[in-house]
Amino acid sequence: MTAASASGPSLTGQTSPEEGFLAVARRWWKLLVLAPLVCAALAYVYATLTTPTYEAEAQLLVVPGTVDSSGLSLASDSAPTYVELVTSPAVLRPTLKELALPYGEARLRTKVRAEADRATRLLTIRVRDDDSARAAATATELARRLKIYVDAQPRSAGAPSNRPKTLEIVERGTSSRVGPNVGLSTSFGAFAGLLLSIALALLLGANGGSVASGEELGVLTQAPFLGAVQRLDEGRRTRRGAQAERSTEGFVGSPLLAGRLRSTGQGRTVRSLLLIGADTSSSARDLAANLAATYAAGGLRTKLVNLGQDEKSAGRIRVAKREGRGSRHPPDKGSDTFDFLETPNDAGVVVVSRRRTSLGTEWLALEEIDRLVERLLEDADLVVLGAPSVAEVAGASAWAAAVDTTVLVARRGRTRRTAVLRTRDAVVATGGRLSGAVLTETLPTAPTHPR
């Protein structure tokens, strides 16, 4: 059996959010690494293959008609009008004709943007194009055509004939690349991939996938991880020299796990123990039978109750390995419908069953279950109960409130995380307390050797 490491969930059963996130990150680390790399590579390819965009800029100064305040004010007020004139047909058409541009007036209008600053009286014309030289030439020509058009307008009555020019070009078109920025696009792609991978990891970690480690199982159950037991195939032998301890049911390392389970009763001796599987593949009933045999071998008077299985049910457990005269408990007052049949097996365990029906298949009041457990303990040191899952035995979770210790059992790589959460919630809802969690797994097939 492999126990939880010192860095795993604490024995108090409390797991911080940081530990939970780290467990998810360790499980999905490949996704957290690969997704940003893939997104960054895609962004880089897109940025390098996309046609670059250039922006050219030309500036004009609105010259006041007089040097007094009224002239300055009139020049500032005229700037917005000149902004509108930049994209007017009077300016765009001669520009298209002069430069012989490969598109029409409507397309050119989408490439041009003009703005004015009243404080400085500067009029800025910006042109975007996928050709750097064409963008610069267009911005320069638009500034020149705007100046020609404005200067050609008739002067108002009374204006001096020597009035200065209304517009003056102060900067001709100069272009620079504005997109796409390869470095920025690649960085953004990597960041977007990281956010996406974190969201997917948290989503998968919360709602899907199978349990892969004891630390992860501890996070899901919010209970200490007690260890993992390995099950050997029937009829297989371990490799020569292997230090595996195998029980009658084929589990490795039962004594150590049995000792841990007896010490999880909050300082008191555990006399009743329930192992409940997250699903049927967890082999919770098989493990319960194995642990009962281990306790019996240690000298404890042990009883085994397979919830959901009656005396005639084949099930997954071999109930009786030899013929024996069953002992019948006299019914208690108030519980006269429960008549137990107890049969000892070869391992020294007293297997408890019922005639016609099985325990755990019906919902009972907590008081009734308490009386049943007390009745079973009258002539026993320990009662071990096994339940395959709450899906198969709906009443199994109700027994968790009556026993000293409840342990959730899951199978590594097979049990779904949702099944663990569902079982945990079912136990807590009925007033039970999970004292720990155990993983079961099947050892890889080992070559056989003659003894």
Side-chain angles (χ1 to χ4, degrees), residues 35-36 39-40 43 185-199:
C39 290
S185 298
T186 304
S187 300
F188 178 79
F191 181 70
L194 178 61
L195 293 181
L196 178 63
S197 63
I198 291 175

Side-chain angles (χ1 to χ4, degrees), residues 80-163:
T81 303
Y82 298 148
V83 169
E84 298 297 328
L85 286 174
V86 171
T87 55
S88 66
V91 175
L92 295 181
R93 287 173 183 173
T95 301
L96 285 169
K97 183 178 180 180
E98 178 68 23
L99 298 178
L101 297 177
Y103 38 76
E105 181 180 328
R107 178 72 181 281
L108 177 59
R109 184 176 287 107
T110 62
K111 296 175 175 289
V112 178
R113 180 166 56 93
E115 58 188 32
D117 187 343
R118 289 191 175 187
T120 61
R121 306 191 312 279
L122 283 175
L123 174 65
T124 304
I125 301 175
R126 292 186 174 90
V127 177
R128 287 200 172 189
D129 202 295
D130 54 13
D131 185 281
S132 176
R134 189 165 59 200
T138 303
T140 301
E141 186 63 20
L142 286 172
R144 191 174 74 88
R145 289 296 173 177
L146 177 64
K147 174 177 170 54
I148 292 174
Y149 176 79
V150 172
D151 289 345
Q153 300 305 307
R155 292 184 174 88
S156 60
S161 58
N162 61 345
R163 188 188 68 174

Side-chain angles (χ1 to χ4, degrees), residues 69-85:
S69 59
S70 61
L72 293 173
S73 177
L74 181 61
S76 297
D77 292 341
S78 300
T81 303
Y82 298 148
V83 169
E84 298 297 328
L85 286 174

Side-chain angles (χ1 to χ4, degrees), residues 27 208-214 216-217 220 228 279 281-282 409-417 420 438-442:
R27 175 176 172 81
S210 58
V211 179
S213 67
E216 184 181 11
L217 182 60
L220 292 172
D279 56 15
S281 71
S282 304
V409 183
R411 183 171 178 180
R412 189 193 304 271
R414 288 282 299 276
T415 299
R416 303 288 294 180
R417 298 165 58 86
V420 174
V438 174
L439 272 180
T440 60
E441 58 185 342
T442 301

Side-chain angles (χ1 to χ4, degrees), residues 188-398:
F188 178 79
F191 181 70
L194 178 61
L195 293 181
L196 178 63
S197 63
I198 291 175
L200 288 175
L202 292 177
L203 180 63
L204 293 171
N207 299 316
S210 58
V211 179
S213 67
E215 183 180 39
E216 184 181 11
L217 182 60
V219 171
L220 292 172
T221 59
Q222 298 181 355
F225 172 58
L226 301 176
V229 291
Q230 295 81 31
R231 183 171 188 169
L232 300 174
D233 294 335
E234 288 291 338
R236 296 282 182 182
R237 297 177 182 176
T238 57
R239 287 191 296 265
R240 184 176 298 173
Q243 300 299 317
E245 181 179 352
R246 180 175 176 177
S247 72
T248 57
E249 292 295 334
F251 286 98
V252 175
S254 297
L256 182 56
L257 177 60
R260 287 176 180 270
L261 295 180
R262 288 278 284 177
S263 63
T264 58
Q266 292 186 332
R268 65 180 186 275
T269 302
V270 173
R271 298 197 63 204
S272 53
L273 165 66
L274 170 63
L275 281 81
I276 186 168
D279 56 15
T280 54
S281 71
S282 304
S283 304
R285 280 201 305 214
D286 290 356
L287 182 58
N290 177 255
L291 291 173
T294 302
Y295 289 126
L300 293 176
R301 294 176 300 166
T302 307
K303 291 184 179 181
L304 172 66
V305 181
N306 295 314
L307 295 179
Q309 180 177 348
D310 59 28
E311 62 166 340
K312 296 181 180 179
S313 174
R316 297 172 60 85
I317 305 294
R318 293 191 295 270
V319 175
K321 295 186 178 179
R322 74 177 181 207
E323 293 295 330
R325 192 173 67 180
S327 63
R328 183 180 298 225
H329 263 287
D332 283 346
K333 185 178 181 180
S335 299
D336 53 1
T337 58
F338 292 93
D339 198 6
F340 295 135
L341 184 67
E342 299 182 348
T343 307
N345 64 14
D346 287 341
V349 177
V350 176
V351 181
V352 181
S353 58
R354 292 177 63 193
R355 294 185 182 276
R356 293 180 296 277
T357 58
S358 55
L359 287 171
T361 56
E362 67 282 277
W363 282 96
L364 302 174
L366 181 58
E367 294 78 9
E368 293 179 283
I369 299 177
D370 284 336
R371 286 198 298 270
L372 293 175
V373 174
E374 290 175 2
R375 213 170 103 185
L376 293 172
L377 286 170
E378 288 177 357
D379 55 350
D381 299 316
L382 177 65
V383 174
V384 180
L385 302 95
S389 68
V390 293
E392 184 171 326
V393 184
S397 59

